[in-house]
Amino acid sequence: MGIAAACGQLNHPEMARAAIELVRKHQLLYLDLKCYREDAEKWFADTSIVEQLLQGLRKVGRKDFTESE
């Protein structure tokens, strides 16, 4: 998800979607941004970093709830 977030921030939606597909195969839970936020907050004490990650994911269409696509 970190790669997908960075690609979203850099306006590379195709790369972000490819990274999200890998997450879909290996850690489906992270597709829910609420769950991803909870885990990211364990790793990054600076909440602004977590917000930047989430912003990048939102730029490529991720929502704050689990979607069935």
Side-chain angles (χ1 to χ4, degrees):
M1 291 302 282
I3 291 170
C7 290
Q9 291 289 25
L10 295 171
N11 199 28
H12 294 292
E14 300 84 20
M15 291 179 174
R17 286 188 198 99
I20 289 169
E21 284 307 310
L22 288 174
V23 172
R24 187 181 312 283
K25 291 178 185 177
H26 299 285
Q27 186 55 282
L28 191 59
L29 186 63
Y30 281 172
L31 295 179
D32 181 346
L33 293 190
K34 180 182 178 213
C35 292
Y36 181 69
R37 172 193 295 274
E38 289 171 1
D39 199 52
E41 287 175 345
K42 294 175 189 173
W43 291 97
F44 300 103
D46 184 348
T47 57
S48 69
I49 293 172
V50 175
E51 289 306 318
Q52 289 175 24
L53 288 167
L54 294 171
Q55 180 184 37
L57 293 170
R58 289 183 190 109
K59 285 182 178 182
V60 293
R62 298 310 314 159
K63 306 275 190 260
D64 287 322
F65 52 89
T66 303
E67 300 176 23
S68 58
E69 298 176 21

Short mmCIF file of all heavy atoms in Angstrom, two decimals:
data_model
loop_
_atom_site.label_atom_id
_atom_site.label_comp_id
_atom_site.label_asym_id
_atom_site.label_seq_id
_atom_site.Cartn_x
_atom_site.Cartn_y
_atom_site.Cartn_z
N MET A 1 0.83 -1.18 0.00
CA MET A 1 0.00 0.00 0.00
C MET A 1 0.87 1.24 0.00
O MET A 1 0.47 2.25 -0.55
CB MET A 1 -0.95 -0.02 1.19
CG MET A 1 -2.02 -1.10 1.10
SD MET A 1 -3.09 -1.02 -0.34
CE MET A 1 -4.20 0.29 0.11
N GLY A 2 2.03 1.16 0.58
CA GLY A 2 2.93 2.31 0.57
C GLY A 2 3.34 2.68 -0.85
O GLY A 2 3.39 3.85 -1.20
N ILE A 3 3.62 1.67 -1.66
CA ILE A 3 3.97 1.94 -3.06
C ILE A 3 2.78 2.53 -3.79
O ILE A 3 2.91 3.50 -4.55
CB ILE A 3 4.46 0.65 -3.76
CG1 ILE A 3 5.82 0.25 -3.18
CG2 ILE A 3 4.53 0.85 -5.27
CD1 ILE A 3 6.29 -1.10 -3.61
N ALA A 4 1.60 1.99 -3.56
CA ALA A 4 0.38 2.52 -4.18
C ALA A 4 0.15 3.97 -3.76
O ALA A 4 -0.22 4.81 -4.58
CB ALA A 4 -0.83 1.66 -3.82
N ALA A 5 0.37 4.27 -2.49
CA ALA A 5 0.19 5.63 -1.99
C ALA A 5 1.18 6.59 -2.64
O ALA A 5 0.81 7.69 -3.06
CB ALA A 5 0.35 5.66 -0.47
N ALA A 6 2.44 6.17 -2.74
CA ALA A 6 3.44 7.02 -3.38
C ALA A 6 3.09 7.26 -4.85
O ALA A 6 3.20 8.39 -5.34
CB ALA A 6 4.82 6.39 -3.26
N CYS A 7 2.67 6.22 -5.52
CA CYS A 7 2.28 6.37 -6.93
C CYS A 7 1.08 7.30 -7.07
O CYS A 7 1.01 8.09 -8.01
CB CYS A 7 1.96 5.01 -7.54
SG CYS A 7 3.42 3.97 -7.76
N GLY A 8 0.16 7.24 -6.13
CA GLY A 8 -0.99 8.14 -6.14
C GLY A 8 -0.55 9.58 -5.97
O GLY A 8 -1.02 10.47 -6.68
N GLN A 9 0.37 9.81 -5.05
CA GLN A 9 0.86 11.17 -4.82
C GLN A 9 1.62 11.70 -6.04
O GLN A 9 1.62 12.89 -6.32
CB GLN A 9 1.77 11.23 -3.59
CG GLN A 9 1.07 11.04 -2.29
CD GLN A 9 0.17 12.21 -1.90
OE1 GLN A 9 -0.30 12.97 -2.70
NE2 GLN A 9 -0.08 12.31 -0.60
N LEU A 10 2.28 10.81 -6.76
CA LEU A 10 3.06 11.20 -7.94
C LEU A 10 2.25 11.17 -9.24
O LEU A 10 2.81 11.35 -10.31
CB LEU A 10 4.29 10.28 -8.07
CG LEU A 10 5.29 10.40 -6.93
CD1 LEU A 10 6.34 9.30 -7.04
CD2 LEU A 10 5.95 11.77 -6.95
N ASN A 11 0.95 10.93 -9.11
CA ASN A 11 0.05 10.90 -10.26
C ASN A 11 0.41 9.80 -11.26
O ASN A 11 0.48 10.04 -12.46
CB ASN A 11 -0.02 12.27 -10.94
CG ASN A 11 -1.25 12.40 -11.81
OD1 ASN A 11 -2.27 11.77 -11.54
ND2 ASN A 11 -1.16 13.19 -12.85
N HIS A 12 0.65 8.60 -10.72
CA HIS A 12 0.91 7.42 -11.54
C HIS A 12 -0.15 6.36 -11.21
O HIS A 12 0.14 5.35 -10.57
CB HIS A 12 2.31 6.86 -11.28
CG HIS A 12 3.41 7.77 -11.70
ND1 HIS A 12 3.68 8.06 -13.02
CD2 HIS A 12 4.32 8.46 -10.97
CE1 HIS A 12 4.70 8.89 -13.08
NE2 HIS A 12 5.10 9.16 -11.84
N PRO A 13 -1.39 6.60 -11.63
CA PRO A 13 -2.48 5.71 -11.23
C PRO A 13 -2.34 4.26 -11.72
O PRO A 13 -2.75 3.34 -11.02
CB PRO A 13 -3.73 6.37 -11.82
CG PRO A 13 -3.23 7.24 -12.91
CD PRO A 13 -1.85 7.68 -12.50
N GLU A 14 -1.72 4.06 -12.86
CA GLU A 14 -1.57 2.69 -13.36
C GLU A 14 -0.65 1.88 -12.46
O GLU A 14 -0.93 0.73 -12.14
CB GLU A 14 -1.02 2.69 -14.80
CG GLU A 14 -1.90 3.42 -15.80
CD GLU A 14 -1.64 4.93 -15.82
OE1 GLU A 14 -0.56 5.38 -15.38
OE2 GLU A 14 -2.54 5.65 -16.27
N MET A 15 0.45 2.51 -12.04
CA MET A 15 1.37 1.83 -11.13
C MET A 15 0.72 1.58 -9.78
O MET A 15 0.92 0.54 -9.17
CB MET A 15 2.64 2.66 -10.94
CG MET A 15 3.51 2.73 -12.14
SD MET A 15 4.94 3.77 -11.74
CE MET A 15 5.91 3.59 -13.20
N ALA A 16 -0.06 2.55 -9.33
CA ALA A 16 -0.76 2.40 -8.05
C ALA A 16 -1.73 1.23 -8.11
O ALA A 16 -1.80 0.41 -7.19
CB ALA A 16 -1.50 3.68 -7.70
N ARG A 17 -2.48 1.14 -9.20
CA ARG A 17 -3.44 0.04 -9.33
C ARG A 17 -2.74 -1.31 -9.37
O ARG A 17 -3.24 -2.30 -8.82
CB ARG A 17 -4.30 0.26 -10.57
CG ARG A 17 -5.31 1.36 -10.36
CD ARG A 17 -6.30 1.47 -11.52
NE ARG A 17 -6.93 2.77 -11.46
CZ ARG A 17 -6.58 3.82 -12.20
NH1 ARG A 17 -5.62 3.71 -13.09
NH2 ARG A 17 -7.19 4.98 -12.07
N ALA A 18 -1.58 -1.37 -10.02
CA ALA A 18 -0.81 -2.63 -10.05
C ALA A 18 -0.39 -3.03 -8.64
O ALA A 18 -0.48 -4.20 -8.26
CB ALA A 18 0.40 -2.48 -10.96
N ALA A 19 0.06 -2.06 -7.85
CA ALA A 19 0.45 -2.34 -6.47
C ALA A 19 -0.75 -2.78 -5.65
O ALA A 19 -0.66 -3.71 -4.83
CB ALA A 19 1.11 -1.11 -5.84
N ILE A 20 -1.90 -2.14 -5.87
CA ILE A 20 -3.12 -2.51 -5.15
C ILE A 20 -3.55 -3.93 -5.50
O ILE A 20 -4.02 -4.68 -4.64
CB ILE A 20 -4.24 -1.48 -5.41
CG1 ILE A 20 -3.88 -0.17 -4.70
CG2 ILE A 20 -5.59 -2.00 -4.96
CD1 ILE A 20 -4.75 1.01 -5.09
N GLU A 21 -3.35 -4.33 -6.74
CA GLU A 21 -3.69 -5.71 -7.13
C GLU A 21 -2.84 -6.72 -6.37
O GLU A 21 -3.33 -7.79 -6.01
CB GLU A 21 -3.55 -5.89 -8.64
CG GLU A 21 -4.70 -5.28 -9.42
CD GLU A 21 -6.07 -5.76 -8.93
OE1 GLU A 21 -6.29 -6.98 -8.79
OE2 GLU A 21 -6.93 -4.89 -8.67
N LEU A 22 -1.58 -6.40 -6.13
CA LEU A 22 -0.74 -7.29 -5.34
C LEU A 22 -1.25 -7.39 -3.90
O LEU A 22 -1.26 -8.46 -3.30
CB LEU A 22 0.71 -6.82 -5.35
CG LEU A 22 1.44 -7.02 -6.67
CD1 LEU A 22 2.82 -6.37 -6.61
CD2 LEU A 22 1.57 -8.50 -6.99
N VAL A 23 -1.67 -6.25 -3.36
CA VAL A 23 -2.23 -6.25 -2.01
C VAL A 23 -3.50 -7.09 -1.99
O VAL A 23 -3.73 -7.87 -1.06
CB VAL A 23 -2.52 -4.81 -1.53
CG1 VAL A 23 -3.28 -4.81 -0.21
CG2 VAL A 23 -1.22 -4.04 -1.39
N ARG A 24 -4.31 -6.96 -3.02
CA ARG A 24 -5.56 -7.73 -3.11
C ARG A 24 -5.27 -9.23 -3.04
O ARG A 24 -6.02 -9.99 -2.44
CB ARG A 24 -6.28 -7.39 -4.42
CG ARG A 24 -7.65 -8.00 -4.55
CD ARG A 24 -8.32 -7.66 -5.87
NE ARG A 24 -8.27 -6.25 -6.23
CZ ARG A 24 -9.05 -5.29 -5.71
NH1 ARG A 24 -9.91 -5.59 -4.76
NH2 ARG A 24 -8.95 -4.05 -6.12
N LYS A 25 -4.16 -9.66 -3.61
CA LYS A 25 -3.81 -11.08 -3.61
C LYS A 25 -3.24 -11.55 -2.28
O LYS A 25 -3.38 -12.71 -1.92
CB LYS A 25 -2.78 -11.36 -4.71
CG LYS A 25 -3.34 -11.23 -6.09
CD LYS A 25 -2.26 -11.49 -7.12
CE LYS A 25 -2.79 -11.24 -8.52
NZ LYS A 25 -1.74 -11.42 -9.53
N HIS A 26 -2.56 -10.63 -1.55
CA HIS A 26 -1.80 -11.06 -0.39
C HIS A 26 -2.28 -10.54 0.96
O HIS A 26 -1.98 -11.15 1.98
CB HIS A 26 -0.32 -10.68 -0.57
CG HIS A 26 0.30 -11.32 -1.76
ND1 HIS A 26 0.65 -12.65 -1.79
CD2 HIS A 26 0.59 -10.82 -2.98
CE1 HIS A 26 1.15 -12.94 -2.97
NE2 HIS A 26 1.12 -11.84 -3.72
N GLN A 27 -2.96 -9.42 0.99
CA GLN A 27 -3.41 -8.85 2.27
C GLN A 27 -4.68 -8.03 2.03
O GLN A 27 -4.67 -6.82 2.10
CB GLN A 27 -2.30 -7.99 2.88
CG GLN A 27 -2.58 -7.46 4.27
CD GLN A 27 -2.92 -8.52 5.28
OE1 GLN A 27 -4.03 -9.00 5.30
NE2 GLN A 27 -1.98 -8.87 6.13
N LEU A 28 -5.74 -8.73 1.74
CA LEU A 28 -7.02 -8.12 1.38
C LEU A 28 -7.50 -7.10 2.42
O LEU A 28 -8.10 -6.09 2.08
CB LEU A 28 -8.06 -9.21 1.19
CG LEU A 28 -9.38 -8.83 0.56
CD1 LEU A 28 -9.17 -8.23 -0.82
CD2 LEU A 28 -10.29 -10.03 0.48
N LEU A 29 -7.17 -7.33 3.67
CA LEU A 29 -7.62 -6.45 4.75
C LEU A 29 -7.16 -5.01 4.56
O LEU A 29 -7.87 -4.07 4.89
CB LEU A 29 -7.11 -6.99 6.09
CG LEU A 29 -7.59 -6.29 7.35
CD1 LEU A 29 -9.10 -6.44 7.48
CD2 LEU A 29 -6.91 -6.88 8.56
N TYR A 30 -5.97 -4.82 3.97
CA TYR A 30 -5.43 -3.47 3.79
C TYR A 30 -6.19 -2.66 2.75
O TYR A 30 -5.97 -1.46 2.63
CB TYR A 30 -3.96 -3.51 3.42
CG TYR A 30 -3.04 -3.75 4.59
CD1 TYR A 30 -1.71 -3.98 4.38
CD2 TYR A 30 -3.50 -3.74 5.89
CE1 TYR A 30 -0.84 -4.21 5.43
CE2 TYR A 30 -2.65 -3.96 6.95
CZ TYR A 30 -1.31 -4.20 6.71
OH TYR A 30 -0.46 -4.41 7.75
N LEU A 31 -7.05 -3.28 1.99
CA LEU A 31 -7.84 -2.51 1.02
C LEU A 31 -8.84 -1.61 1.73
O LEU A 31 -9.33 -0.65 1.15
CB LEU A 31 -8.54 -3.44 0.04
CG LEU A 31 -7.60 -4.23 -0.86
CD1 LEU A 31 -8.40 -5.14 -1.78
CD2 LEU A 31 -6.67 -3.33 -1.65
N ASP A 32 -9.14 -1.92 2.96
CA ASP A 32 -9.99 -1.06 3.79
C ASP A 32 -9.06 -0.03 4.44
O ASP A 32 -8.20 -0.37 5.25
CB ASP A 32 -10.69 -1.90 4.85
CG ASP A 32 -11.60 -1.10 5.75
OD1 ASP A 32 -11.52 0.15 5.75
OD2 ASP A 32 -12.40 -1.72 6.46
N LEU A 33 -9.22 1.23 4.06
CA LEU A 33 -8.30 2.26 4.55
C LEU A 33 -8.35 2.42 6.06
O LEU A 33 -7.36 2.82 6.67
CB LEU A 33 -8.56 3.60 3.86
CG LEU A 33 -8.22 3.64 2.37
CD1 LEU A 33 -8.29 5.07 1.86
CD2 LEU A 33 -6.88 3.02 2.07
N LYS A 34 -9.47 2.09 6.68
CA LYS A 34 -9.53 2.17 8.14
C LYS A 34 -8.55 1.17 8.75
O LYS A 34 -7.77 1.51 9.65
CB LYS A 34 -10.95 1.89 8.63
CG LYS A 34 -11.08 1.95 10.14
CD LYS A 34 -12.48 1.63 10.59
CE LYS A 34 -12.53 1.67 12.11
NZ LYS A 34 -13.46 0.72 12.66
N CYS A 35 -8.54 -0.04 8.24
CA CYS A 35 -7.61 -1.06 8.73
C CYS A 35 -6.17 -0.68 8.39
O CYS A 35 -5.27 -0.84 9.21
CB CYS A 35 -7.94 -2.41 8.13
SG CYS A 35 -9.50 -3.08 8.70
N TYR A 36 -5.96 -0.16 7.18
CA TYR A 36 -4.62 0.25 6.80
C TYR A 36 -4.13 1.38 7.70
O TYR A 36 -2.99 1.39 8.14
CB TYR A 36 -4.58 0.67 5.33
CG TYR A 36 -3.20 1.09 4.90
CD1 TYR A 36 -2.19 0.14 4.79
CD2 TYR A 36 -2.91 2.41 4.65
CE1 TYR A 36 -0.91 0.51 4.44
CE2 TYR A 36 -1.63 2.79 4.30
CZ TYR A 36 -0.63 1.84 4.18
OH TYR A 36 0.63 2.23 3.83
N ARG A 37 -5.01 2.34 8.00
CA ARG A 37 -4.63 3.45 8.87
C ARG A 37 -4.20 2.93 10.24
O ARG A 37 -3.18 3.35 10.77
CB ARG A 37 -5.80 4.42 9.06
CG ARG A 37 -5.53 5.51 10.10
CD ARG A 37 -6.78 6.26 10.50
NE ARG A 37 -7.34 7.01 9.42
CZ ARG A 37 -6.99 8.25 9.08
NH1 ARG A 37 -6.04 8.87 9.76
NH2 ARG A 37 -7.56 8.86 8.09
N GLU A 38 -4.97 2.02 10.81
CA GLU A 38 -4.65 1.49 12.13
C GLU A 38 -3.27 0.84 12.15
O GLU A 38 -2.50 1.03 13.08
CB GLU A 38 -5.72 0.49 12.57
CG GLU A 38 -7.04 1.14 12.90
CD GLU A 38 -8.16 0.13 13.13
OE1 GLU A 38 -7.90 -1.10 13.05
OE2 GLU A 38 -9.29 0.57 13.38
N ASP A 39 -2.95 0.09 11.09
CA ASP A 39 -1.66 -0.56 11.04
C ASP A 39 -0.54 0.45 10.78
O ASP A 39 0.51 0.39 11.41
CB ASP A 39 -1.65 -1.64 9.97
CG ASP A 39 -0.53 -2.62 10.18
OD1 ASP A 39 -0.42 -3.15 11.30
OD2 ASP A 39 0.25 -2.84 9.24
N ALA A 40 -0.77 1.39 9.87
CA ALA A 40 0.25 2.40 9.56
C ALA A 40 0.57 3.25 10.78
O ALA A 40 1.73 3.64 10.99
CB ALA A 40 -0.22 3.28 8.40
N GLU A 41 -0.44 3.53 11.60
CA GLU A 41 -0.20 4.33 12.81
C GLU A 41 0.70 3.61 13.81
O GLU A 41 1.34 4.24 14.65
CB GLU A 41 -1.52 4.74 13.45
CG GLU A 41 -2.23 5.82 12.65
CD GLU A 41 -3.60 6.17 13.18
OE1 GLU A 41 -4.15 5.39 14.00
OE2 GLU A 41 -4.14 7.20 12.74
N LYS A 42 0.78 2.30 13.72
CA LYS A 42 1.70 1.54 14.57
C LYS A 42 3.14 1.75 14.13
O LYS A 42 4.06 1.67 14.93
CB LYS A 42 1.36 0.05 14.53
CG LYS A 42 0.03 -0.30 15.13
CD LYS A 42 -0.27 -1.77 14.93
CE LYS A 42 -1.70 -2.09 15.33
NZ LYS A 42 -2.04 -3.48 14.99
N TRP A 43 3.35 1.98 12.84
CA TRP A 43 4.68 2.09 12.28
C TRP A 43 5.18 3.53 12.21
O TRP A 43 6.38 3.78 12.27
CB TRP A 43 4.72 1.47 10.88
CG TRP A 43 4.57 0.00 10.92
CD1 TRP A 43 3.42 -0.72 10.73
CD2 TRP A 43 5.59 -0.95 11.21
NE1 TRP A 43 3.67 -2.05 10.88
CE2 TRP A 43 5.00 -2.23 11.17
CE3 TRP A 43 6.94 -0.85 11.48
CZ2 TRP A 43 5.72 -3.38 11.40
CZ3 TRP A 43 7.67 -2.01 11.70
CH2 TRP A 43 7.05 -3.26 11.66
N PHE A 44 4.27 4.49 12.03
CA PHE A 44 4.65 5.88 11.88
C PHE A 44 4.08 6.70 13.03
O PHE A 44 2.87 6.89 13.13
CB PHE A 44 4.14 6.45 10.55
CG PHE A 44 4.67 5.73 9.34
CD1 PHE A 44 3.87 4.83 8.66
CD2 PHE A 44 5.96 5.96 8.90
CE1 PHE A 44 4.36 4.16 7.55
CE2 PHE A 44 6.46 5.29 7.79
CZ PHE A 44 5.65 4.38 7.12
N ALA A 45 4.96 7.18 13.89
CA ALA A 45 4.51 7.99 15.03
C ALA A 45 3.98 9.34 14.57
O ALA A 45 3.11 9.91 15.19
CB ALA A 45 5.65 8.19 16.01
N ASP A 46 4.51 9.83 13.44
CA ASP A 46 4.08 11.11 12.88
C ASP A 46 2.81 10.88 12.07
O ASP A 46 2.85 10.31 10.98
CB ASP A 46 5.19 11.68 12.01
CG ASP A 46 4.88 13.06 11.46
OD1 ASP A 46 3.72 13.50 11.56
OD2 ASP A 46 5.81 13.68 10.91
N THR A 47 1.68 11.33 12.60
CA THR A 47 0.41 11.07 11.91
C THR A 47 0.30 11.79 10.58
O THR A 47 -0.49 11.38 9.73
CB THR A 47 -0.79 11.47 12.80
OG1 THR A 47 -0.66 12.84 13.17
CG2 THR A 47 -0.87 10.60 14.04
N SER A 48 1.12 12.82 10.36
CA SER A 48 1.07 13.49 9.05
C SER A 48 1.56 12.56 7.95
O SER A 48 1.10 12.64 6.81
CB SER A 48 1.87 14.79 9.07
OG SER A 48 3.26 14.54 9.17
N ILE A 49 2.47 11.66 8.27
CA ILE A 49 2.94 10.67 7.28
C ILE A 49 1.80 9.73 6.92
O ILE A 49 1.56 9.42 5.75
CB ILE A 49 4.16 9.89 7.81
CG1 ILE A 49 5.34 10.84 7.95
CG2 ILE A 49 4.49 8.72 6.89
CD1 ILE A 49 6.55 10.22 8.64
N VAL A 50 1.08 9.29 7.93
CA VAL A 50 -0.07 8.40 7.69
C VAL A 50 -1.10 9.11 6.81
O VAL A 50 -1.63 8.52 5.87
CB VAL A 50 -0.69 7.93 9.02
CG1 VAL A 50 -1.94 7.11 8.78
CG2 VAL A 50 0.33 7.14 9.84
N GLU A 51 -1.35 10.37 7.10
CA GLU A 51 -2.33 11.12 6.30
C GLU A 51 -1.87 11.28 4.86
O GLU A 51 -2.68 11.21 3.93
CB GLU A 51 -2.60 12.49 6.93
CG GLU A 51 -3.40 12.41 8.22
CD GLU A 51 -4.71 11.64 8.08
OE1 GLU A 51 -5.41 11.82 7.06
OE2 GLU A 51 -5.00 10.84 8.97
N GLN A 52 -0.57 11.46 4.66
CA GLN A 52 -0.05 11.56 3.29
C GLN A 52 -0.22 10.24 2.55
O GLN A 52 -0.56 10.22 1.35
CB GLN A 52 1.41 11.98 3.31
CG GLN A 52 1.62 13.42 3.72
CD GLN A 52 3.09 13.77 3.84
OE1 GLN A 52 3.95 13.14 3.25
NE2 GLN A 52 3.37 14.79 4.63
N LEU A 53 0.01 9.13 3.24
CA LEU A 53 -0.20 7.82 2.63
C LEU A 53 -1.67 7.65 2.22
O LEU A 53 -1.97 7.24 1.09
CB LEU A 53 0.20 6.70 3.60
CG LEU A 53 1.68 6.51 3.86
CD1 LEU A 53 1.89 5.60 5.06
CD2 LEU A 53 2.37 5.95 2.64
N LEU A 54 -2.55 7.98 3.13
CA LEU A 54 -3.98 7.83 2.85
C LEU A 54 -4.43 8.77 1.73
O LEU A 54 -5.25 8.40 0.89
CB LEU A 54 -4.80 8.07 4.11
CG LEU A 54 -4.59 7.02 5.21
CD1 LEU A 54 -5.26 7.46 6.50
CD2 LEU A 54 -5.09 5.66 4.77
N GLN A 55 -3.88 9.97 1.70
CA GLN A 55 -4.22 10.91 0.64
C GLN A 55 -3.81 10.34 -0.73
O GLN A 55 -4.57 10.43 -1.70
CB GLN A 55 -3.53 12.25 0.87
CG GLN A 55 -3.84 13.29 -0.19
CD GLN A 55 -3.07 14.57 0.04
OE1 GLN A 55 -1.91 14.54 0.46
NE2 GLN A 55 -3.71 15.68 -0.24
N GLY A 56 -2.62 9.76 -0.80
CA GLY A 56 -2.17 9.14 -2.05
C GLY A 56 -3.09 8.02 -2.49
O GLY A 56 -3.40 7.87 -3.67
N LEU A 57 -3.56 7.22 -1.53
CA LEU A 57 -4.47 6.12 -1.85
C LEU A 57 -5.83 6.63 -2.30
O LEU A 57 -6.44 6.09 -3.22
CB LEU A 57 -4.61 5.19 -0.65
CG LEU A 57 -3.32 4.43 -0.30
CD1 LEU A 57 -3.46 3.73 1.04
CD2 LEU A 57 -2.96 3.45 -1.41
N ARG A 58 -6.30 7.69 -1.69
CA ARG A 58 -7.58 8.28 -2.11
C ARG A 58 -7.49 8.85 -3.52
O ARG A 58 -8.46 8.79 -4.28
CB ARG A 58 -8.01 9.35 -1.13
CG ARG A 58 -8.46 8.80 0.20
CD ARG A 58 -8.96 9.90 1.13
NE ARG A 58 -9.16 9.38 2.46
CZ ARG A 58 -8.38 9.66 3.50
NH1 ARG A 58 -7.37 10.50 3.39
NH2 ARG A 58 -8.62 9.13 4.67
N LYS A 59 -6.33 9.37 -3.88
CA LYS A 59 -6.14 9.93 -5.23
C LYS A 59 -6.30 8.88 -6.31
O LYS A 59 -6.60 9.21 -7.45
CB LYS A 59 -4.77 10.59 -5.35
CG LYS A 59 -4.68 11.92 -4.65
CD LYS A 59 -3.31 12.54 -4.86
CE LYS A 59 -3.22 13.89 -4.21
NZ LYS A 59 -1.90 14.52 -4.45
N VAL A 60 -6.07 7.62 -5.96
CA VAL A 60 -6.24 6.55 -6.94
C VAL A 60 -7.52 5.75 -6.70
O VAL A 60 -7.68 4.64 -7.17
CB VAL A 60 -5.01 5.62 -7.01
CG1 VAL A 60 -3.81 6.37 -7.55
CG2 VAL A 60 -4.70 4.98 -5.68
N GLY A 61 -8.43 6.35 -5.94
CA GLY A 61 -9.76 5.79 -5.83
C GLY A 61 -10.05 4.91 -4.64
O GLY A 61 -11.16 4.37 -4.54
N ARG A 62 -9.11 4.74 -3.72
CA ARG A 62 -9.41 3.94 -2.53
C ARG A 62 -10.34 4.74 -1.64
O ARG A 62 -10.23 5.95 -1.53
CB ARG A 62 -8.13 3.58 -1.77
CG ARG A 62 -7.14 2.74 -2.52
CD ARG A 62 -7.66 1.51 -3.21
NE ARG A 62 -8.54 0.70 -2.39
CZ ARG A 62 -9.40 -0.17 -2.92
NH1 ARG A 62 -9.51 -0.34 -4.19
NH2 ARG A 62 -10.17 -0.86 -2.13
N LYS A 63 -11.23 4.05 -0.98
CA LYS A 63 -12.21 4.69 -0.09
C LYS A 63 -11.96 4.23 1.35
O LYS A 63 -11.18 3.33 1.59
CB LYS A 63 -13.62 4.28 -0.50
CG LYS A 63 -13.93 4.55 -1.97
CD LYS A 63 -14.39 5.96 -2.16
CE LYS A 63 -14.92 6.17 -3.56
NZ LYS A 63 -14.03 6.79 -4.48
N ASP A 64 -12.66 4.86 2.26
CA ASP A 64 -12.51 4.53 3.68
C ASP A 64 -13.42 3.40 4.13
O ASP A 64 -13.89 3.37 5.24
CB ASP A 64 -12.76 5.77 4.54
CG ASP A 64 -11.63 6.76 4.45
OD1 ASP A 64 -10.46 6.31 4.39
OD2 ASP A 64 -11.89 7.97 4.40
N PHE A 65 -13.68 2.47 3.23
CA PHE A 65 -14.44 1.28 3.58
C PHE A 65 -14.07 0.20 2.58
O PHE A 65 -13.57 0.48 1.51
CB PHE A 65 -15.95 1.54 3.55
CG PHE A 65 -16.43 2.16 2.26
CD1 PHE A 65 -16.80 1.38 1.19
CD2 PHE A 65 -16.49 3.54 2.13
CE1 PHE A 65 -17.21 1.96 0.00
CE2 PHE A 65 -16.92 4.13 0.95
CZ PHE A 65 -17.26 3.32 -0.12
N THR A 66 -14.29 -1.05 2.95
CA THR A 66 -13.96 -2.16 2.06
C THR A 66 -14.90 -2.17 0.88
O THR A 66 -16.11 -2.05 1.04
CB THR A 66 -14.06 -3.50 2.82
OG1 THR A 66 -13.20 -3.45 3.94
CG2 THR A 66 -13.66 -4.67 1.93
N GLU A 67 -14.34 -2.28 -0.29
CA GLU A 67 -15.13 -2.30 -1.51
C GLU A 67 -15.01 -3.68 -2.15
O GLU A 67 -13.98 -4.31 -2.07
CB GLU A 67 -14.59 -1.29 -2.53
CG GLU A 67 -14.59 0.11 -2.04
CD GLU A 67 -13.95 1.03 -3.07
OE1 GLU A 67 -13.92 0.67 -4.25
OE2 GLU A 67 -13.52 2.10 -2.68
N SER A 68 -16.04 -4.13 -2.77
CA SER A 68 -15.94 -5.32 -3.60
C SER A 68 -15.88 -4.86 -5.04
O SER A 68 -16.79 -4.21 -5.53
CB SER A 68 -17.13 -6.26 -3.37
OG SER A 68 -18.33 -5.58 -3.64
N GLU A 69 -14.75 -5.11 -5.68
CA GLU A 69 -14.56 -4.64 -7.04
C GLU A 69 -14.48 -5.79 -7.99
O GLU A 69 -14.06 -6.83 -7.71
CB GLU A 69 -13.28 -3.81 -7.14
CG GLU A 69 -13.35 -2.60 -6.26
CD GLU A 69 -12.03 -1.82 -6.28
OE1 GLU A 69 -11.25 -1.98 -7.23
OE2 GLU A 69 -11.80 -1.07 -5.36
#
